[in-house]
Amino acid sequence: MLRRDPEDRGPVRYGPPLPEQGLPVLPELRAELAAAAGRAGTDHLAGGPALLDAARGYWTRRGLPAAADRVALAPGAPALLLALTGALGGDVLAPRPCAAWWGPQARLLGRSVFRVATPAECGGVPDPYALLETVRRVRAEGGDPRLLVLSVADDPTATVAPPELVHEAVEAAAGEGLHVVSDETWRDTVHRPHDTVFLSPAEMRPDDVTVVTDLAGAFLPQGWPAAVARFPSAPAGAALCSRVHDVLTAIGAHVAEPVAAAAAFALDEPAAVTARLADAVRLHARVAHAVHGLVTAAGAIARPPQTGRHLYADLGPLRPALAALGVGDAQDLEDFLSARLGMPAPGGHRFGDDLGALRVRLDTGPLLGATDDERTRSLRSASPLELPHVRGALTRLGSAFDDLRDDAR
């Protein structure tokens, strides 16, 4: 994560990566990558047959069948969003806060990004009334909003938006003629899938929604970049997919063949992949809820995490204690907590939040251990919070927040 100049409090151009898995690579994935390592080329932009078929099967199992001419892949979701933004044109709307990589894609193309407030219960999906008001204001000022990016299972807030909110927001967007991009990178990391309803906007409006999934969310290491996009089922979906391929071709956004082989294997969801994913989600959920308890006990505000490997905390109630330590905004908070905790703690400004708000994303991956042996033990343990290395990491984090609480008092 690139640190900004201490004197610079302007727009953030580069954000932090997705929260790390913090676990050794699955042996079966390593084997697939190694077996394809002799093929030093790149997969075709339209998609190698194995990966395209795997992506279509993945979505079909989730109730979103896709035709072959409505699927694209790229080396990471940012490249797909860049291509979509270029193909669709116009300005972009996004919830505040949102994933750190959404905004730079539009700014790179010279497009404006307009932030829309989210409701109190979740992030990732804009409040429908705030969305309508923002669209009205932007058009009145001469803007051209065409694209709404949202995430039902969200980074950075780790919340899952309720179906009724998703429905209202997507209907409002469709009524204003906006194309919706649903970032579903985290849909397979929902902590309690049997108790939490995940509704994809593409299930509601199949003709108006493009789905983007970065496989670093649930399936692949971040160093093996691959992402897939599913385009609308309407005839216009094939045309949009074709234009996106044109942009990807122009920027040389190829997926390396060994990575494509591993991605196809993962998206086929064999038993080894699904078992590892279930174990990893369970582990990160336990650690995230432990962190949530420590942070809120110290007086900070955070929604209970429901998905992913992170949570989003508001340290506004601890502002007096932080001010005494020279922390006045989110960049100061990022610097202070990253040094104090010994792990990245990106401030809310990285996600489009207000610089003056003392908000931070805390990731669980760094808390699982410092070596592959420790991380493997965390994954296999029935009581990971009792392991010495996990307990020690949580104790250090809790002590840092307890010190702030005591100073505030």
Side-chain angles (χ1 to χ4, degrees):
M1 184 171 65
L2 297 179
R3 188 195 186 285
R4 300 190 306 163
D5 186 288
E7 300 303 319
D8 177 18
R9 291 297 188 267
V12 177
R13 292 188 179 273
Y14 303 100
L18 298 179
E20 292 280 359
Q21 292 187 18
L23 296 169
V25 179
L26 184 68
E28 288 81 358
L29 284 179
R30 293 203 306 265
E32 290 292 327
L33 188 82
R39 303 196 297 270
T42 55
D43 217 339
H44 299 292
L45 284 171
L51 182 49
L52 278 178
D53 286 346
R56 294 171 61 198
Y58 167 83
W59 278 311
T60 297
R61 290 190 294 276
R62 285 152 181 80
L64 298 172
D69 62 349
R70 286 168 176 78
V71 177
L73 62 134
L80 283 173
L81 185 57
L82 177 70
L84 272 163
T85 307
L88 288 166
D91 299 322
V92 178
L93 295 102
R96 182 192 299 272
C98 69
W101 54 272
W102 292 0
Q105 313 309 311
R107 287 198 294 268
L108 184 63
L109 296 171
R111 309 285 165 73
S112 297
V113 181
F114 297 95
R115 309 288 181 174
V116 186
T118 56
E121 66 265 31
C122 68
V125 175
D127 177 271
Y129 297 103
L131 174 63
L132 293 173
E133 175 58 25
T134 302
V135 171
R136 184 202 64 77
R137 175 177 56 81
V138 170
R139 287 176 175 158
E141 295 174 355
D144 182 23
R146 298 188 193 178
L147 179 62
L148 169 65
V149 189
L150 53 76
S151 55
V152 177
D154 187 44
D155 172 24
T157 65
T159 58
V160 178
E164 58 272 17
L165 172 64
V166 178
H167 185 273
E168 292 173 3
V170 173
E171 287 296 326
E176 293 297 329
L178 302 178
H179 187 84
V180 175
V181 173
S182 177
D183 175 12
E184 300 186 6
T185 296
W186 300 101
R187 71 169 295 161
D188 296 299
T189 67
V190 173
H191 295 170
R192 296 180 177 177
H194 298 296
D195 301 326
T196 306
V197 178
F198 180 99
L199 175 65
S200 171
E203 296 179 62
M204 300 168 38
R205 306 280 306 198
D207 293 344
D208 302 304
V209 178
T210 296
V211 176
V212 172
T213 300
D214 196 308
L215 301 190
F219 296 106
L220 295 182
Q222 286 188 332
W224 303 1
V228 290
R230 176 195 180 276
F231 292 84
S233 56
L240 177 59
C241 184
S242 180
R243 295 200 302 274
V244 166
H245 283 149
D246 289 341
V247 178
L248 293 173
T249 301
I251 62 177
H254 303 269
V255 178
E257 286 195 21
V259 174
F265 176 79
L267 285 179
D268 279 337
E269 299 182 284
V273 170
T274 56
R276 161 58 78 87
L277 179 57
D279 291 343
V281 169
R282 190 179 306 111
L283 171 61
H284 282 287
R286 290 177 179 176
V287 176
H289 283 270
V291 173
H292 178 264
L294 295 171
V295 168
T296 55
I301 301 170
R303 299 184 185 97
Q306 297 175 288
T307 191
R309 306 183 284 264
H310 54 283
L311 74 155
Y312 198 58
D314 184 349
L315 276 63
L318 303 175
R319 185 178 290 274
L322 288 165
L325 297 168
V327 176
D329 62 22
Q331 180 64 60
D332 294 333
L333 181 63
E334 175 182 299
D335 295 339
F336 171 77
L337 283 180
S338 295
R340 179 69 175 81
L341 300 177
M343 59 183 250
H349 61 301
R350 303 277 186 177
F351 309 102
D353 223 335
D354 294 330
L355 178 64
L358 297 178
R359 300 189 182 109
V360 64
R361 190 187 73 188
L362 299 172
D363 301 348
T364 54
L367 305 174
L368 305 183
T371 66
D372 278 354
D373 178 65
E374 288 182 345
R375 298 176 188 121
T376 300
R377 288 163 54 202
S378 298
L379 183 66
R380 294 176 177 174
S381 174
S383 303
L385 302 185
E386 301 303 318
L387 294 173
H389 56 275
V390 177
R391 186 171 63 248
L394 290 172
T395 298
R396 288 190 295 273
L397 186 146
S399 295
F401 281 92
D402 287 345
D403 290 345
L404 293 174
R405 176 196 60 199
D406 296 340
D407 290 345
R409 287 176 177 174

